[in-house]
Amino acid sequence: MPSPLPAPATEPLVLYNTLTRQKAPFEPLVPGAVGIYLCGPTVYNEPHLGNARGPVVFDVLRRYFQYRGLTVRFVRNITDVGHLESDSDTGDDKIAKEARLKKLEPMQVAQNYTRRYQQLIGRLNVLPPDIEPQATGHITEQIQLVEEILANGFAYEANGSVYFDVAAYQAAGGNYGKLSGRVVEELLANTRDTLEGQDEKRAPADFALWKKAAPTHLMRWPSPWGEGFPGWHLECSAMSRKYLGDEFDLHGGGLDLMFPHHECEIAQGRGSKSGKDGPRWWMHNNMITVNGTKMGKSLGNFILLSELYDGAAALGGQAFTPMTARFFLLQTHYRSPADVTAYALVAARKGYHKMLNGLLTLPALLDLAAATPAPDTLDETLGTELRTLADRCFEGLNDDLNTARTVASLFDVLRRLNALSTKPTELASVGLNAVQYAVDVFRALVTDVLGLVEEAPDDRTAWREMGLNFYRRAKEAKDYPTVDALRAEFKRQGLLINDTKAGARWVYDE
């Protein structure tokens, strides 16, 4: 049978709901099961570091739900049509524009960047979604949703396009703006003169459910209103409804998507046959800055994941591994901005290596605890202190997924375990059960929940062990030139050789 969860992991998980602007204990709609929808990428270019924050944040949430014994259905979409340059209803389709520039079919562009996104996000040890629907694969569901909204009187057709009627929605008791805090009266007060060429709309606040395709538009489908393509906001409403239902637990995404994208999703849900918002809980991760400045291509500080991994990013030419990037993102609470600097990433690399070194030393610590004769009476105070340190690691996770606080608590546990490893008598007084408890918590939270794993390929493990054997022999023979040469080679590989009472071992260079 699986081991029972530590008591703190059964306490309420409190999460911030953007909709209510409050933290509250999270309770799933269906006991024991959670449905999560995360807005995925628009696949028209290479993913950047900002694209990674949401997947990492909600990967930890998903993992923690699973650790707590819940079944999770995790849906993350692929937007491969309908996302226009202005993020609303004007400009060119981002994928179609890229296709014209490269003289490719739009689906070639979408497929290429979908693969790149999956590969580069996957290297961050983000679990793949249970379902990854593509907008182009759900045109039927989107047309059906438009028809429902039209039938309810919350949309109108204009010259082959269909727009959501915000004024009609408000008149019927809708609350457009309740998620973002926008004042809908101000949005509706603008005149037709402010529509900037969008003459089909009755008001600037109205948004496209279906757009008529211009003769030059590369992506089009037949519909009751003529050939066209779905609106960006409509896609997520249709796909989340198909795979999670009219009402589901939680919708995640970046803070930049709250308006208009997520606001429009709520209106579409309430304007449909179900009359429901869709998600009960909204969670938004904050943005990435670079040296205190908003990240952007025009500023020359745009950090692609591929460039971060291979050292081509504008961070002093240094390469930072995916796990270093993941650890960096975990060091900041998800609702706070994360500022990227070379210094911060170097510090994150050291922190990641400390975690790994802790995992590497745990087996030897348990062996030492098991081999050291226990006193007739254990020191209950020491054992309780160690268990309390381990339990504190859950406090951050239970308080709105505060991974930064959990990381700090895990380092507290690691420092205590390292101190005990140098004091066998005190280690024996703590008791094997308390040590095992702390080790189990540390391992589970670092690897299973935070998702931090070793990146070195398996063939390097054999090389390290062989190098250590040569080192031990050279040291016994007092062959110090060879000892120094081996230390230097390990150092070049980002490793250190530590001489301990239990013998020589390698650790990551912190």
Side-chain angles (χ1 to χ4, degrees):
M1 292 183 63
S3 301
L5 286 176
T10 63
E11 293 177 359
L13 171 57
V14 175
L15 296 174
Y16 183 84
N17 189 345
T18 310
L19 186 63
T20 63
R21 301 296 195 272
Q22 292 179 342
K23 291 194 289 187
F26 177 85
E27 292 291 342
L29 269 171
V30 178
V34 180
I36 300 175
Y37 186 91
L38 176 64
C39 280
T42 300
V43 284
Y44 71 102
N45 62 8
E46 288 267 338
H48 53 75
L49 185 57
N51 297 138
R53 192 171 195 194
V56 169
V57 167
F58 291 96
D59 182 62
V60 173
L61 180 63
R62 173 191 188 177
R63 287 169 177 270
Y64 192 44
F65 277 139
Q66 292 173 331
Y67 178 78
R68 292 167 65 98
L70 298 172
T71 299
V72 179
R73 177 179 288 182
F74 192 93
V75 182
R76 185 185 70 205
N77 73 293
I78 297 292
T79 296
D80 54 1
V81 67
H83 193 166
L84 305 185
E85 290 178 287
S86 68
D87 288 351
S88 58
D89 301 326
T90 61
D92 203 352
D93 183 293
K94 294 183 178 184
I95 293 169
K97 180 179 180 181
E98 185 73 6
R100 276 194 293 271
L101 288 173
K102 294 188 175 181
K103 298 182 179 179
L104 298 171
E105 284 292 326
M107 285 297 99
Q108 284 181 275
V109 172
Q111 189 63 38
N112 174 55
Y113 287 124
T114 296
R115 281 195 298 264
R116 287 292 287 163
Y117 178 85
Q118 292 166 337
Q119 291 165 356
L120 293 168
I121 295 295
R123 290 182 64 186
L124 290 160
N125 199 29
V126 170
L127 298 172
D130 297 308
I131 302 172
E132 194 169 32
Q134 294 173 283
T136 54
H138 295 77
I139 300 298
T140 300
E141 290 84 356
Q142 293 170 73
I143 290 175
Q144 179 185 337
L145 184 53
V146 175
E147 290 176 328
E148 290 178 24
I149 297 171
L150 275 167
N152 285 340
F154 299 129
Y156 55 90
E157 181 185 354
N159 191 32
S161 295
V162 181
Y163 294 95
F164 191 93
D165 191 334
V166 174
Y169 175 70
Q170 291 297 95
N175 189 9
Y176 190 78
K178 69 177 183 177
L179 178 68
S180 62
R182 299 293 179 101
V183 180
V184 72
E185 288 77 14
E186 294 179 2
L187 298 175
L188 293 172
N190 293 312
T191 66
R192 185 176 299 277
D193 295 335
T194 66
L195 293 178
E196 298 178 0
Q198 301 177 65
D199 295 335
E200 297 169 346
K201 289 186 180 184
R202 295 175 181 171
D206 296 348
F207 55 91
L209 301 175
W210 185 266
K211 288 283 284 183
K212 179 182 179 180
T216 57
H217 202 278
L218 297 175
M219 307 176 79
R220 60 179 65 223
W221 289 264
S223 80
W225 316 285
E227 286 199 338
F229 56 93
W232 173 40
H233 314 307
L234 184 79
E235 298 168 3
C236 285
S237 290
M239 290 186 287
S240 64
R241 182 171 80 164
K242 179 177 178 65
Y243 296 109
L244 296 174
D246 290 330
E247 189 174 22
F248 59 95
D249 290 300
L250 193 149
H251 194 313
L255 194 61
D256 57 329
L257 297 178
M258 184 176 12
F259 187 87
H261 187 51
H262 293 159
E263 193 74 70
C264 294
E265 283 189 58
I266 292 176
Q268 289 165 163
R270 295 196 68 83
S272 72
K273 182 172 61 178
S274 75
K276 296 181 178 179
D277 285 17
R280 296 166 58 245
W281 219 279
W282 288 89
M283 290 179 66
H284 292 92
N285 59 275
N286 213 316
M287 301 294 100
I288 297 283
T289 59
V290 180
N291 294 310
T293 304
K294 181 180 178 180
M295 186 169 66
K297 288 182 180 178
S298 61
L299 299 175
N301 63 353
F302 203 75
I303 302 174
L304 298 179
L305 286 179
S306 57
E307 294 177 338
L308 183 70
Y309 299 164
D310 65 20
L315 293 165
Q318 297 186 70
F320 295 98
T321 68
M323 283 297 96
T324 294
R326 184 177 179 109
F327 188 89
F328 164 76
L329 293 172
L330 296 176
Q331 284 184 299
T332 305
H333 187 256
Y334 76 91
R335 287 196 289 118
S336 298
D339 189 42
V340 184
T341 65
Y343 176 82
L345 284 168
V346 169
R349 181 165 56 202
K350 290 181 179 180
Y352 164 62
H353 285 168
K354 282 181 184 292
M355 286 290 189
L356 282 189
N357 288 337
L359 291 172
L360 291 170
T361 60
L362 294 182
L365 175 65
L366 288 174
D367 289 344
L368 180 62
T372 304
D376 294 335
T377 303
L378 296 179
D379 190 325
E380 295 295 337
T381 300
L382 291 176
T384 299
E385 288 176 352
L386 183 57
R387 287 176 178 272
T388 300
L389 275 180
D391 286 344
R392 284 176 185 162
C393 296
F394 293 94
E395 292 178 358
L397 291 170
N398 289 338
D399 184 10
D400 196 27
L401 206 69
N402 193 332
T403 55
R405 185 173 166 190
T406 291
V407 165
S409 298
L410 286 166
F411 279 135
D412 290 339
V413 172
L414 184 57
R415 277 190 290 271
R416 182 61 180 142
L417 292 175
N418 285 339
L420 288 172
S421 70
T422 65
K423 302 173 183 177
T425 302
E426 187 175 335
L427 179 65
S429 297
V430 170
L432 182 58
N433 287 341
V435 174
Q436 184 72 61
Y437 179 82
V439 167
D440 287 346
V441 167
F442 185 87
R443 279 177 173 161
L445 293 189
V446 171
T447 60
D448 298 339
V449 177
L450 298 184
L452 296 168
V453 294
E454 187 175 8
E455 293 175 299
D458 291 340
D459 58 352
R460 290 185 63 184
T461 301
W463 175 89
R464 292 165 183 168
E465 292 306 317
M466 181 175 65
L468 272 182
N469 285 332
F470 282 125
Y471 175 85
R472 294 183 187 110
R473 292 175 186 174
K475 193 166 184 183
E476 288 175 3
K478 297 184 179 180
D479 181 0
Y480 297 118
T482 299
V483 166
D484 292 341
L486 286 167
R487 281 187 173 277
E489 179 57 26
F490 269 73
K491 178 76 172 177
R492 192 179 70 81
Q493 299 286 343
L495 308 170
L496 299 175
I497 297 178
N498 281 356
D499 290 301
T500 70
K501 293 180 180 179
R505 61 182 178 87
W506 62 266
V507 296
Y508 288 95
D509 185 0
E510 298 174 4

